Amino acid sequence: MELLTHSSSFLLPNPPLDSAALTYVLVVLNRDLPRFTPLLWKNARIRICADGGANRLYDEMPLLFPDEAALAVRERYKPDLIKGDMDSVREEVSQFYKALGTRVVDASADQDTTDLHKCIAYIRDLPNLKHEKTCVLVAGALGGRFDHEVGNINVLCHFSSTRIVLLSDDCLIQLLPSSHHHEIHIHPTIEGPHCGLVPISGPSKSSTTTGLQWNLSDTEMRFGGLISTSNLVKDEIVTVQSDSDLLWTISLRKIG
């Protein structure tokens, strides 16, 4: 089975050269901007706002640079695209970014998918990106309404072959598909030690890990039974293999 490696080096001010193998795309959702959003922006090649995420970018990015003029910050952090139902983005915000050259796409005809789903579908279909080498970073994906969080996790499952990382100030979540063995490179200065593994596509009859305080060894996990929450990272490399898709989550330190 093929090995898939993971790293949160996109949260480092100067990512190591080996992280350049991935192309990062940033999607900003309509939740509080994480304090490290400028780092995500710096490391991303393409930046997209999902509908009301444009309001967050416009309103909150200047707050992260209190010593600079708000207009200068807004002009510097201009998204490449705003896409969604367009029921949340304010008209003045949409027009401001349009004037700077941002493309705005009204996808309100599709009421069966979320704004994040629409953005991931757009990214997946971009002809100039190599699918297997693309990682989507989703800012503001956690916190707030639980149904929104579940909808974002459902996007991970729907696009299970696409690397997607859901981010908040406190933690990240990503899918570890059962089609691969996984090697997670931990950066102790920015993440951990708290972590968890959760079976999301059904019960796991067999999950095995290394590098955790409480490792799994051919362990069965299911809702209503055992799931690996409140675990701790022990080593700088964690390995995971399972017969079921798992969610990996790890706490984030106060960075940015």
Side-chain angles (χ1 to χ4, degrees), residues 28-220:
V28 178
L29 300 188
N30 192 12
R31 287 293 306 165
D32 295 344
L33 288 186
R35 60 193 176 278
F36 47 78
T37 301
L39 272 178
L40 303 179
W41 192 281
K42 173 186 173 185
N43 291 325
R45 175 175 161 190
I46 300 170
R47 297 98 174 192
I48 298 171
C49 288
D51 197 355
N55 297 339
R56 300 288 179 164
L57 185 68
Y58 183 91
D59 294 338
E60 298 179 18
M61 189 66 95
L63 302 179
L64 300 177
F65 299 91
D67 296 330
E68 297 186 41
L71 179 60
V73 174
R74 289 170 180 147
E75 290 178 340
R76 184 164 76 247
Y77 290 95
K78 174 190 74 70
D80 299 295
L81 173 73
I82 301 171
K83 183 169 185 172
D85 292 344
M86 298 298 129
D87 58 352
S88 298
V89 62
R90 302 195 306 271
E91 180 65 20
E92 70 269 21
V93 172
S94 175
Q95 291 303 320
F96 175 83
Y97 288 124
K98 267 187 179 180
L100 294 177
T102 296
R103 183 182 174 209
V104 178
V105 176
D106 184 338
S108 58
D110 176 9
Q111 289 296 307
D112 292 330
T113 61
T114 65
D115 290 330
L116 176 58
H117 183 118
K118 294 175 175 66
C119 290
I120 299 297
Y122 170 85
I123 294 164
R124 181 196 58 187
D125 294 339
L126 285 174
N128 58 333
L129 290 180
K130 293 183 178 179
H131 178 70
E132 70 279 3
K133 296 295 185 181
T134 300
C135 180
V136 183
L137 309 174
V138 186
L142 306 169
R145 281 172 46 187
F146 179 65
D147 60 327
H148 283 170
E149 291 183 310
V150 172
N152 294 337
I153 291 171
N154 187 54
V155 169
L156 296 185
C157 298
H158 184 89
F159 296 96
S160 60
S161 63
T162 300
R163 291 177 183 256
I164 304 171
V165 183
L166 305 181
L167 292 148
S168 73
D169 266 330
D170 302 310
C171 69
L172 65 78
I173 297 176
Q174 63 190 108
L175 187 73
L176 305 182
S178 59
S179 56
H180 293 74
H181 290 171
H182 300 273
E183 186 175 275
I184 304 166
H185 294 244
I186 306 299
H187 298 276
T189 60
I190 61 173
E191 61 187 340
H194 299 93
C195 65
L197 287 163
V198 179
I200 193 62
S201 60
S204 167
K205 294 182 179 179
S206 174
S207 293
T208 299
T209 67
T210 66
L212 302 178
Q213 182 70 44
W214 295 283
N215 279 310
L216 306 173
S217 180
D218 198 26
T219 304
E220 180 178 354

Side-chain angles (χ1 to χ4, degrees), residues 3-12 16 18-19 22 24 163 172 174 176 181-192 210-212 233-240 248 250-252:
L3 178 68
L4 202 59
T5 60
H6 309 270
S7 168
S8 299
S9 59
F10 51 81
L11 289 172
L12 296 171
D18 58 0
S19 66
L22 289 176
Y24 293 107
R163 291 177 183 256
L172 65 78
Q174 63 190 108
L176 305 182
H181 290 171
H182 300 273
E183 186 175 275
I184 304 166
H185 294 244
I186 306 299
H187 298 276
T189 60
I190 61 173
E191 61 187 340
T210 66
L212 302 178
V233 170
K234 184 179 177 181
D235 300 328
E236 292 192 8
I237 294 181
V238 172
T239 67
V240 181
W248 163 257
I250 188 167
S251 59
L252 297 178

